[in-house]
């Protein structure tokens, strides 16, 4: 897997950091879209690590708004240019879980905010990276969905709908590219043990 190229969205989040570290330690070149380069540096700067098991990691970041399609397009084009038209894998971990909102009180703007974060970010990145993968006739895309996509939760409509759309997106890409070595998968976890989720629930 040395020198293979992966883009990991949500790479500064609790799950994303774990995934980013894992791929970097396996020898992949990792590109992370971030809203703040300062936050990225604080999380991933290992220059002061003096331990004997220190390993050089190739993790790079550019600022990008994952919910803005032009920003995503620019990010993917930049990575593709740097890697001479090669992106081997995309992992979509970006997302968020909204508070309980009764449907009668769910304002359209707030619904759109969570739908954009949980689905459109995955759609934008998958679409743009897929263009590169189709040129190379190879690629892997993995997206984080949720059990709520199959079993809707009361008060979480936008979250459930957006994660269900992620499943449909992954399957559609598979069907449309079954003649190429391009594969998509969705991981469907229940609640992941993160600080934010521990604060939210049990």
């Amino acid at each position: 897997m040395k020198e293979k190229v992966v883009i990991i969205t949500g790479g500064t989040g609790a799950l994303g950091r774990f995934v980013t570290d894992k791929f970097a330690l396996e020898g992949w070149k990792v590109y992370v879209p971030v809203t703040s380069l300062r936050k990225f540096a604080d999380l991933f700067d290992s220059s002061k690590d003096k331990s004997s098991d220190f390993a050089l990691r190739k993790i790079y970041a550019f600022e990008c708004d994952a919910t803005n399609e032009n920003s995503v397009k620019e990010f993917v084009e930049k990575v593709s240019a740097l890697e001479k038209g090669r992106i081997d894998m995309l992992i979509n971990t970006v997302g968020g879980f909204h508070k309980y909102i009764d449907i009668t009180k769910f304002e359209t703007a707030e619904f759109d905010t969570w739908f954009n974060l949980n689905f459109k970010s995955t759609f934008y990145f998958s679409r743009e990276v897929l263009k590169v993968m189709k040129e190379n006739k190879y690629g892997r895309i993995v997206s984080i969905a949720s059990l709520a996509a199959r079993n809707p939760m009361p008060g979480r409509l936008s979250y459930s709908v957006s994660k269900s759309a992620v499943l449909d997106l992954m399957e559609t890409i598979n069907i449309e590219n079954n003649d190429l070595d391009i594969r998509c998968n969705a991981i469907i976890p229940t609640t992941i043990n993160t600080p934010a989720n521990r604060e939210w629930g049990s």
Side-chain angles (χ1 to χ4, degrees):
M1 294 190 289
K2 287 187 179 300
E3 293 305 311
K4 283 195 173 184
V5 178
V6 59
I7 293 174
I8 301 176
T9 72
T12 58
L15 174 61
R17 290 198 300 271
F18 179 86
V19 177
T20 297
D21 277 331
K22 179 68 174 176
F23 273 78
L25 290 173
E26 291 287 343
W28 288 63
K29 292 181 72 175
V30 182
Y31 288 89
V32 180
V34 298
T35 56
S36 168
L37 288 173
R38 181 185 294 272
K39 179 180 179 181
F40 168 80
D42 290 342
L43 291 172
F44 290 105
D45 182 10
S46 56
S47 60
K48 297 179 181 179
D49 189 342
K50 304 298 182 183
S51 64
S52 59
D53 58 351
F54 170 79
L56 181 65
R57 301 173 300 168
K58 296 181 179 180
I59 307 174
Y60 309 93
F62 302 114
E63 289 188 350
C64 174
D65 177 358
T67 63
N68 181 293
E69 60 181 324
N70 290 326
S71 183
V72 171
K73 184 176 181 180
E74 290 174 4
F75 180 93
V76 174
E77 287 177 347
K78 185 178 295 186
V79 173
S80 179
L82 288 170
E83 297 301 331
K84 298 179 174 58
R86 177 181 178 183
I87 300 173
D88 300 290
M89 193 167 189
L90 166 68
I91 302 179
N92 293 300
T93 77
V94 69
F97 187 71
H98 62 77
K99 64 184 180 180
Y100 183 101
I101 307 175
D102 184 274
I103 288 179
T104 61
K105 299 177 181 178
F106 215 142
E107 298 293 336
T108 301
E110 187 161 15
F111 181 94
D112 289 345
T113 294
W114 292 102
F115 187 81
N116 292 345
L117 178 65
N118 285 302
F119 173 70
K120 283 192 176 179
S121 61
T122 296
F123 169 65
Y124 293 150
F125 269 99
S126 297
R127 181 186 66 188
E128 298 306 318
V129 168
L130 186 60
K131 295 174 184 177
V132 178
M133 291 178 172
K134 287 172 73 75
E135 288 291 324
N136 297 320
K137 298 181 173 59
Y138 174 85
R140 300 290 184 264
I141 300 175
V142 177
S143 297
I144 304 299
S146 169
L147 192 61
R150 293 297 188 214
N151 302 308
M153 304 169 64
R156 320 286 178 179
L157 178 65
S158 185
Y159 181 76
S160 297
V161 169
S162 57
K163 289 301 187 178
S164 180
V166 167
L167 297 183
D168 290 342
L169 173 65
M170 295 296 98
E171 187 59 25
T172 300
I173 294 174
N174 276 330
I175 295 169
E176 291 182 353
N177 296 277
N178 60 9
D179 58 331
L180 303 175
D181 191 8
I182 295 173
R183 303 288 179 269
C184 295
N185 287 282
I187 296 173
I188 306 178
T190 54
T191 305
I192 300 174
N193 186 5
T194 66
N197 285 340
R198 286 196 297 272
E199 182 177 336
W200 162 73
S202 62

